[in-house]
Amino acid sequence: MFEIVVTACLAFASGGADPACRDMLLAGYETPTQAACEAQMPELSKKFDDPRCVSAGPALDVTEVAPGVFAHLGRIEEPDPDNRGDVANLGFIVGADSVAVIDTGSARWIGEALWRAIRQHTDKPVSHVILTHMHPDHVLGTDAFRTTGANIVSHATLPRALADRQANYAESLTRLIGPAFAGSTAPDADITVEPDAPMQIDLGDRILTLHAWPTAHTGNDLTVLDQETGTLFTGDLIFHLHTPALDGSVLGWLDVLEQLQTLEIARIVPGHGGPVLDWPEGAKDQRRYLETLRDDTRAAIANGTRLGDAVTTIADSEAHNWQLFEAYNPRNATVAFTELEWE
């Protein structure tokens, strides 16, 4: 197979050094032969600078976790030059007529590799790209799908939240993963889902139910339920092995977990870890962590412990159960303390 790429660069080099660049895929223009690829050049040259035909690049590894439901397991690591930001779970669901993508990774190259993975399993069009929340490791690969005509779907509050943070996200990931971030940009949503007003998407004999939740992990968490197989993509409402990251409300998060228990779910694809877990067993460890975080924080506040001292002990009994604990637990303790001191 052949595909069309253009050059994307990061203009962060200093001292007169050349900017770091990479080949950026234009999804949707794949052809079986180089001649067919070259035949597209006259028209594409009107839209893009210096498009080129190359052999197809690598696809993201995916696992079929249920019939027609695929998941990619991101590394349980912080973004760095070695993993190039591939640190979150992503997936896609194939219907009779079209495909829905769930999350797109930290950088455009991940979205491009996910597109190639989709093409290894189906030639159906991608109709929807669904974003489970605002965090950069889940959304900044979305622009890879813009040339496919897919609709971008999110929680109603995500566009504003992402707009407020996108500059910081871009600066941070440029520093952390370098040239791999070239071509990445924050997405704009075409369709939004209001809290507690579930939306359904029909992929062709396959209904997905999208639910926008009140503030929990973040203020814009969205789940995707494949009705056919009972598979729920939870985004970061569920963490496995990776220490949960609190960027919303610990009380709200526990409340949403209670509500999730009422759904008819066979399995979940969490935002990190897994990539597939039984339900409700798959939420047990995270529930225990959040309850410990809540209870230890309340105890510290009741004892008059200052925030700076409290964050060193809150939930420390959970340290042996989670990876990246030192990176995330102090932040979680700070957010929980700030929330609960005003109960």
Side-chain angles (χ1 to χ4, degrees):
M1 291 295 290
F2 292 84
E3 60 189 26
I4 296 175
V5 300
V6 296
T7 299
C9 297
L10 287 176
F12 69 91
S14 61
D18 292 335
C21 302
R22 71 172 190 89
D23 285 344
M24 184 173 76
L25 172 69
L26 299 181
Y29 296 102
E30 300 77 22
T31 60
T33 67
Q34 185 169 0
C37 184
E38 296 287 354
Q40 302 177 92
M41 289 297 103
E43 189 62 30
L44 288 176
S45 295
K46 299 176 184 178
K47 303 177 183 179
F48 304 100
D49 291 334
D50 191 28
R52 308 182 308 282
C53 288
V54 299
S55 296
L60 217 56
D61 291 333
V62 296
T63 300
E64 190 168 12
V65 300
V69 181
F70 297 83
H72 168 70
L73 176 63
R75 298 187 192 183
I76 302 179
E77 300 172 354
E78 293 282 60
D80 62 31
D82 290 332
N83 60 44
R84 298 186 295 157
D86 182 12
V87 296
N89 293 350
L90 321 170
F92 60 92
I93 301 171
V94 182
D97 298 331
S98 67
V99 178
V101 171
I102 299 97
D103 286 342
T104 60
S106 299
R108 182 180 168 121
W109 80 262
I110 301 174
E112 295 166 11
L114 181 58
W115 166 263
R116 296 186 187 108
I118 294 168
R119 280 294 163 261
Q120 291 181 347
H121 293 277
T122 180
D123 61 359
K124 294 181 173 65
V126 174
S127 56
H128 299 82
V129 175
I130 305 166
L131 306 177
T132 63
H133 64 291
M134 67 184 177
H135 284 157
D137 53 331
H138 292 263
V139 304
L140 292 184
T142 303
D143 198 60
F145 293 90
R146 274 298 180 187
T147 54
T148 71
N151 286 306
I152 313 303
V153 187
S154 77
H155 191 293
T157 65
L158 182 143
R160 175 58 186 271
L162 187 55
D164 290 343
R165 295 164 174 81
Q166 60 182 334
N168 288 337
Y169 288 164
E171 180 181 1
S172 176
L173 280 160
T174 296
R175 174 175 48 83
L176 290 170
I177 68 174
F181 193 66
S184 308
T185 186
D188 295 321
D190 302 304
I191 301 169
T192 60
V193 185
E194 295 291 338
D196 297 320
M199 174 185 295
Q200 291 193 329
I201 292 174
D202 188 356
L203 302 179
D205 299 324
R206 189 156 211 159
I207 302 296
L208 308 183
T209 299
L210 281 55
H211 193 118
W213 296 93
T215 300
H217 162 62
T218 68
N220 40 76
D221 298 305
L222 182 75
T223 55
V224 183
L225 176 62
D226 174 41
Q227 299 285 0
E228 182 171 323
T229 65
T231 303
L232 183 75
F233 282 79
T234 67
D236 283 2
L237 283 173
I238 302 293
F239 284 76
H240 174 240
L241 301 179
H242 185 304
T243 302
L246 176 60
D247 195 11
S249 163
V250 64
L251 299 182
W253 201 344
L254 284 165
D255 183 61
V256 167
L257 290 182
E258 287 289 343
Q259 294 181 61
L260 288 174
Q261 298 288 327
T262 68
L263 301 181
E264 294 185 10
I265 302 169
R267 67 192 62 80
I268 64 168
V269 176
H272 299 269
V276 60
L277 302 173
D278 293 333
W279 186 259
E281 295 82 3
K284 180 177 68 174
D285 289 344
Q286 179 174 298
R287 175 186 293 278
R288 185 193 64 245
Y289 171 80
L290 292 176
E291 290 174 345
T292 301
L293 180 69
R294 176 198 63 195
D295 295 345
D296 284 5
T297 302
R298 283 175 169 164
I301 293 169
N303 291 333
T305 307
R306 297 176 62 180
L307 173 60
D309 296 323
V311 298
T312 65
T313 60
I314 288 172
D316 60 354
S317 63
E318 284 286 318
H320 66 286
N321 296 318
W322 302 94
Q323 298 177 40
L324 302 177
F325 190 81
E326 293 303 322
Y328 286 90
N329 188 68
R331 305 179 204 173
N332 296 341
T334 300
V335 175
F337 194 101
T338 303
E339 175 186 0
L340 297 177
E341 69 177 334
W342 301 110
E343 278 190 302

